[in-house]
Amino acid sequence: MDAEALRTFVAVAETGQFQAAADELGISQQAVSKRIAALERHLGVMLLVRTSRGSRPSPDGQVFLPHAKKILAVVEQAEQAVRPGNRPLRVDVLNRRISPAQAVHRFYRSHPEMELDVVTLSTENAAQAARAVLEGTVDASFRALPADQVPAGISAERLMDAPLELLVGSGHPLADAPHVSPAELAGHRIWIPGIMPGTEWAAFYRTLSEAFGLSIDALGPDFGPEALMDTLAESDSLATLVGRGDRYLWPQAHDLRRIPLRDPTPVYPHVLLFRSGDQHPVLTALRDYLRTAGPRTSQDVWAPEWVEAA
Amino acid sequence: MDAEALRTFVAVAETGQFQAAADELGISQQAVSKRIAALERHLGVMLLVRTSRGSRPSPDGQVFLPHAKKILAVVEQAEQAVRPGNRPLRVDVLNRRISPAQAVHRFYRSHPEMELDVVTLSTENAAQAARAVLEGTVDASFRALPADQVPAGISAERLMDAPLELLVGSGHPLADAPHVSPAELAGHRIWIPGIMPGTEWAAFYRTLSEAFGLSIDALGPDFGPEALMDTLAESDSLATLVGRGDRYLWPQAHDLRRIPLRDPTPVYPHVLLFRSGDQHPVLTALRDYLRTAGPRTSQDVWAPEWVEAA
DNA sequence: TACTTCCACAACTAGAAGTTGTTTCCGGTG
DNA sequence: CACCGGAAACAACTTCTAGTTGTGGAAGTA
């Protein structure tokens, strides 16, 4: 017993003719005839009285008609309950300060009708986040998952490249440079606390440091961004790297300088993970938004080779 | 969206495993996998989280599960509402005095749990009764429909032969005969009021009179069986024909004689019309009852050739 | 590592379920 | 009474779905 058969029966009962029902359903009269015959065979009773002027429900058909409508209504409710877009899109971000979170915020402000929840899973790494997406705990997650590690059933789309900027105190030798190249950072000490080994962030900075011969100190206790800002402001040799759109700080409050990196510009590749075939309209809109309204990066960018192409 | 898919989903959700659900449903694990995949594709969401230890409903699946159960319950109600045997069998008889009505009454007394309604359609003839059966107004009708006039979709089963008996007053020349042959009736006047032209009864008596050269007066006003009995009791020349099992009369109240016909015994062939494939259990039981417990007729019977073989 | 469990994928097959073309039935009409 | 037109069923064919068996990969377990 499938819904199409019931829809067919209701259509015939209400139009009084097989052909009219067929037109309504966009199938042939013969198909309607077969569907009704199959339904009658399934139920073991005759539902429609065929006359030369059309068809009308038999006594059994009159009994069955309201039941058929009820089933269709309940089916409609059930489909409605899980229809993609019927609940807010759940987007996972590593934390609310990084640029994807800011971008999602901008998206939300420009599309207020798009319901979405921004959550922060306490996942260890991108692979775990991918599993959470697969299981439906969240609908999408911004990560930097190597292209060859994308599990089956997950789509990965590199939607946002965050150009790195050097963040230094006013006493740092590079504090007044208009820009700096990665190669020029070779002699300097770069401190990025709070990066846990095994995460994709650690992999990114390891690749970056190997590519340009940098000494990046990714370990050490993380007392939070405020403490980091304080330490940077007071130091003449420490520097850190942040994404251009990150809201880690309010530089003006600490007299810190953001120095863009150029030649090439290293970018952190934010990849959106989502279930393949997910039809949530907010997800579709978000991807469109980021693809078009996302920050345009210059030609000369560097990203780890293991990430998918932009 | 069909019920089997929903049953499959519920089975997986409740057993936690595709294989267990497959066993429960009597299909292969792969078929379960396909059904779930099709349902998920139809709804556009993932319903089950597959792990290496089994499957459990995803967040969307948890939302959908009660809806699926609800649909199945409503479907069950709908099927129940029109299930053959769920309402009393409606049997049409020409009137409640003739032998089929008596036989149905005996059937009901020996099977009190079999619900049935005996109704009397005011149909003109057997063809109209057949149409009423086809349309479901009644489930079965006792008629004498010629075999070549049984419409498509109707099954006809000759279930009961009612041997004719002559009914005469005590002053009639044949009143004391132990039996009489049709040929011996040739000179006598037989009066059967209330037979409308165009009915199968008229056809039966016409055929009978032609076969044996009788003069049957089928016309005339019908004042009801009581008036007929009175007239017969007072007449020395009038006679009428009745079926052996008919309850037209209480002969003892009028001093009337029932004289069996023999050599051959004309029988009125009561044919049960019902929808081909009708699975109503009371219908099945009634047919079985009449086929086995019905009155056995002797070998030397006469019936119109146009009726189906016994 | 080997082994088990669980599910998905591949290839195949049978049977639904659709199509077009034709027939039958019935009521209305000249 | 023959004829016509509308309505549904039947027939033959095609397509594709839903089942089958066989196999493979991922994850937990001894």
Side-chain angles (χ1 to χ4, degrees):
Chain A
M1 170 124 77
D2 77 322
E4 284 311 305
L6 297 178
R7 266 184 265 276
T8 307
F9 170 63
V10 172
V12 173
E14 292 187 342
T15 63
Q17 296 182 177
F18 280 43
Q19 184 60 59
D23 295 341
E24 194 176 309
L25 299 169
I27 58 176
S28 66
Q29 169 263 315
Q30 292 86 338
V32 171
S33 182
K34 282 193 182 186
R35 284 187 182 180
I36 297 295
L39 183 59
E40 289 178 328
R41 202 171 343 105
H42 173 76
L43 294 172
V45 299
M46 178 161 303
L47 294 175
L48 292 166
V49 176
R50 282 79 157 169
T51 77
S52 65
R53 258 202 297 272
S55 298
R56 61 175 196 281
S58 70
D60 278 323
Q62 290 170 32
V63 169
F64 189 67
L65 183 55
H67 288 276
K69 289 181 176 174
K70 171 73 174 176
I71 294 172
L72 292 175
V74 174
V75 165
E76 174 53 33
Q77 279 183 14
E79 291 180 340
Q80 171 70 18
V82 295
R83 185 157 297 156
N86 206 28
R87 55 165 175 73
L89 187 78
R90 289 185 290 260
V91 182
D92 168 52
V93 294
L94 208 60
N95 69 59
R96 291 167 196 277
R97 291 194 186 84
I98 60 173
S99 48
Q102 303 302 316
V104 169
H105 191 197
R106 284 194 299 277
F107 166 76
Y108 178 67
R109 277 182 307 201
S110 63
H111 300 79
E113 78 287 359
M114 296 276 177
E115 294 184 64
L116 57 83
D117 293 337
V118 175
V119 300
T120 302
L121 297 175
S122 11
T123 45
E124 294 270 319
N125 53 37
Q128 279 197 5
R131 181 176 305 180
V133 172
L134 215 40
E135 298 187 358
T137 311
V138 293
D139 297 306
S141 181
F142 278 102
R143 298 287 158 159
L145 192 60
D148 58 355
Q149 287 180 29
V150 176
I154 289 287
S155 294
E157 193 171 0
R158 181 171 161 190
L159 280 170
M160 173 178 275
D161 283 353
L164 293 191
E165 296 180 335
L166 193 71
L167 189 67
V168 293
S170 54
H172 193 278
L174 294 170
D176 294 320
H179 47 77
V180 63
S181 73
E184 292 174 296
L185 293 177
H188 298 273
R189 188 170 161 225
I190 298 170
W191 186 42
I192 303 180
I195 299 292
M196 303 298 287
T199 67
E200 72 262 29
W201 288 82
F204 173 80
Y205 285 114
R206 185 169 56 250
T207 310
L208 178 66
S209 61
E210 286 167 1
F212 297 100
L214 311 184
S215 60
I216 292 181
D217 190 356
L219 297 175
D222 177 18
F223 295 108
E226 307 304 328
L228 173 61
M229 301 302 111
D230 290 343
T231 308
L232 283 176
E234 291 163 11
S235 164
D236 290 348
S237 60
L238 271 184
T240 195
L241 291 171
V242 296
R244 184 189 293 163
D246 296 355
R247 293 192 83 191
Y248 269 116
L249 41 94
W250 295 259
Q252 62 280 13
H254 289 86
D255 194 20
L256 293 172
R257 313 287 168 83
R258 275 176 173 269
I259 317 220
L261 266 59
R262 288 177 43 176
D263 310 316
T265 302
V267 295
Y268 188 91
H270 292 287
V271 174
L272 188 67
L273 307 179
F274 54 93
R275 290 182 293 279
S276 302
D278 192 335
Q279 299 160 13
H280 199 300
V282 178
L283 176 65
T284 308
L286 176 62
R287 287 166 56 201
D288 282 346
Y289 175 86
L290 293 176
R291 226 179 282 124
T292 60
R296 306 256 44 94
T297 54
S298 72
Q299 300 291 42
D300 189 14
V301 302
W302 173 96
E305 288 175 4
W306 41 256
V307 83
E308 68 163 320
Chain B
M1 170 120 79
D2 77 321
E4 285 310 304
L6 298 177
R7 266 185 265 276
T8 307
F9 170 63
V10 172
V12 174
E14 292 187 343
T15 63
Q17 295 181 178
F18 280 42
Q19 184 60 61
D23 295 341
E24 195 175 309
L25 299 169
I27 57 175
S28 67
Q29 169 263 315
Q30 291 87 338
V32 172
S33 181
K34 283 194 179 183
R35 284 187 182 180
I36 298 295
L39 184 59
E40 288 178 328
R41 204 172 341 106
H42 174 78
L43 294 172
V45 298
M46 178 160 304
L47 294 175
L48 292 166
V49 176
R50 281 77 157 173
T51 76
S52 63
R53 259 203 297 271
S55 298
R56 61 176 197 281
S58 70
D60 278 323
Q62 290 170 32
V63 169
F64 188 68
L65 183 55
H67 288 276
K69 289 181 177 176
K70 170 75 174 174
I71 294 171
L72 291 176
V74 174
V75 165
E76 174 54 33
Q77 277 183 14
E79 291 181 338
Q80 172 70 19
V82 295
R83 185 157 299 156
N86 205 28
R87 55 166 175 72
L89 187 77
R90 289 186 290 261
V91 182
D92 167 53
V93 294
L94 208 59
N95 68 59
R96 290 167 197 277
R97 291 194 186 84
I98 60 174
S99 47
Q102 303 302 317
V104 170
H105 192 198
R106 284 195 298 276
F107 166 75
Y108 178 66
R109 277 182 307 201
S110 63
H111 299 81
E113 78 286 0
M114 297 277 178
E115 294 183 64
L116 58 84
D117 292 337
V118 175
V119 300
T120 302
L121 296 176
S122 12
T123 45
E124 294 271 320
N125 53 38
Q128 278 197 4
R131 181 176 304 182
V133 171
L134 215 41
E135 298 188 357
T137 311
V138 293
D139 298 305
S141 181
F142 278 102
R143 298 285 158 159
L145 192 60
D148 58 355
Q149 288 180 28
V150 176
I154 289 286
S155 295
E157 194 171 359
R158 180 172 162 191
L159 281 170
M160 175 178 271
D161 282 353
L164 294 190
E165 296 179 335
L166 194 71
L167 190 66
V168 293
S170 55
H172 194 276
L174 293 169
D176 296 318
H179 47 79
V180 62
S181 74
E184 291 174 297
L185 293 176
H188 298 272
R189 189 171 162 223
I190 299 168
W191 187 42
I192 304 179
I195 300 291
M196 305 295 288
T199 67
E200 72 264 29
W201 286 83
F204 173 79
Y205 285 114
R206 185 169 55 249
T207 310
L208 178 66
S209 62
E210 287 167 359
F212 297 100
L214 310 185
S215 60
I216 293 180
D217 190 355
L219 298 175
D222 179 18
F223 295 109
E226 307 304 327
L228 173 61
M229 302 302 110
D230 289 342
T231 308
L232 284 177
E234 291 164 10
S235 164
D236 289 349
S237 59
L238 272 181
T240 194
L241 291 171
V242 296
R244 185 189 291 162
D246 297 354
R247 293 190 84 191
Y248 269 116
L249 41 97
W250 295 259
Q252 63 280 12
H254 290 87
D255 193 22
L256 293 171
R257 312 288 167 82
R258 275 177 174 267
I259 312 199
L261 265 60
R262 285 176 46 176
D263 310 314
T265 302
V267 295
Y268 189 91
H270 292 287
V271 175
L272 188 67
L273 306 179
F274 53 94
R275 289 182 292 281
S276 301
D278 192 333
Q279 299 160 13
H280 199 299
V282 179
L283 176 65
T284 309
L286 176 62
R287 287 165 56 202
D288 282 346
Y289 175 86
L290 294 177
R291 225 178 284 123
T292 60
R296 307 253 47 92
T297 55
S298 72
Q299 300 291 44
D300 189 15
V301 303
W302 174 96
E305 287 175 5
W306 40 257
V307 81
E308 70 163 318

